[in-house]
Amino acid sequence: MNNHSIALFASGNGSNALNIIGYFKENPTIHVAVLICNKKDAPIVQKATDAGVEVLVFDNEAFENGLTVLQELDYRAIDWIVLAGFLRKIPTNLINGFPNRIINIHPSLLPKFGGKGMYGHFVHQAVYDAKETETGITIHLVNEEFDKGEILAQFKTPLSPADTPALIAQKISLLELSNFPTIVERTIKNQQQ
Ligand code: GRF
């Protein structure tokens, strides 16, 4: 079996990123090689460092240009990118450099509650306002259209009228933590030639 190196991209708290780092720690063929962040004071920077993962922080200009990021990924022979709570748009050169090899997680059942401005608590608030009776997560490949790449998996959870946006966030977090790493692993294993 081939070896695979993941670059995790995260912008904030990083509970999903840290969970993925832990999940692949003992994996013989898939490992998290680097964590890439766009905010130097994001909690995930310290958490990933403490977990023994190299961290690279790029400013917004570097992300928009994409070239330096691409070079750093090439240098580390990265073959998969996993977006785990990464809040910037991925530039075209990165998408083209990793065709069908960028995985994102979105905290709703896409195509519902996706697109520009739909992230974090905005999603949970919108789900609440729409009086949805269920919500969930979508794990998908990234292409040039925001939140519209091929869906790899969706997981659902029922909602009751008592579920406030904060409670919805908790339900979503549980779904993400228990399902994201296994879908990443399955996707990588399925795509190897
Ligand atoms: C998650 O809900 C994820 O679906 C979304 O951003 C959130 C990140 O949370 N894309 P965390 O940083 O992993 O705690």
Side-chain angles (χ1 to χ4, degrees):
M1 196 193 282
N2 297 332
N3 286 329
H4 299 281
S5 293
I6 297 174
L8 275 174
F9 284 37
S11 298
N13 186 39
S15 56
N16 282 287
L18 202 62
N19 187 43
I20 287 175
I21 290 169
Y23 182 85
F24 287 111
K25 200 127 209 156
E26 307 295 333
N27 193 294
T29 55
I30 302 173
H31 89 290
V32 176
V34 64
L35 182 127
I36 291 188
C37 186
N38 60 314
K39 290 183 192 158
K40 66 177 185 332
D41 50 359
I44 187 55
V45 170
Q46 191 58 48
K47 290 180 191 175
T49 305
D50 291 346
V53 173
E54 180 190 16
V55 175
L56 298 177
V57 178
F58 295 100
D59 61 20
N60 290 341
E61 201 185 315
F63 267 110
E64 263 146 47
N65 177 282
L67 201 61
T68 323
V69 181
L70 205 48
Q71 283 168 348
E72 294 292 348
L73 298 180
D74 279 351
Y75 177 68
R76 288 164 182 78
I78 300 297
D79 58 346
W80 285 88
I81 294 175
V82 176
L83 309 178
F86 186 67
L87 296 182
R88 289 203 65 81
K89 196 172 186 311
I90 302 298
T92 307
N93 50 7
L94 263 187
I95 292 176
N96 292 340
F98 288 81
N100 292 325
R101 282 173 180 265
I102 306 179
I103 303 171
N104 184 42
I105 187 161
H106 185 82
S108 76
L109 296 170
L110 290 174
K112 281 186 160 187
F113 309 103
K116 207 167 162 49
M118 276 295 166
Y119 61 89
H121 72 276
F122 295 108
V123 177
H124 310 312
Q125 185 67 49
V127 167
Y128 176 78
D129 291 343
K131 299 185 170 48
E132 294 290 296
T133 55
E134 64 174 14
T135 188
I137 63 169
T138 303
I139 299 164
H140 65 96
L141 294 175
V142 172
N143 63 18
E144 288 226 47
E145 277 190 278
F146 219 58
D147 289 342
K148 286 195 180 156
E150 181 196 331
I151 291 178
L152 301 168
Q154 290 187 307
F155 299 91
K156 295 179 181 178
T157 181
L159 293 177
S160 79
D163 283 318
T164 60
L167 290 173
I168 295 173
Q170 282 178 23
K171 287 185 164 182
I172 290 296
S173 176
L174 285 177
L175 277 185
E176 293 184 335
L177 294 176
S178 45
N179 294 296
F180 195 18
T182 50
I183 297 301
V184 168
E185 183 177 25
R186 186 185 81 184
T187 305
I188 293 176
K189 285 187 170 163
N190 282 350
Q191 284 213 3
Q192 61 191 350
Q193 5 252 309

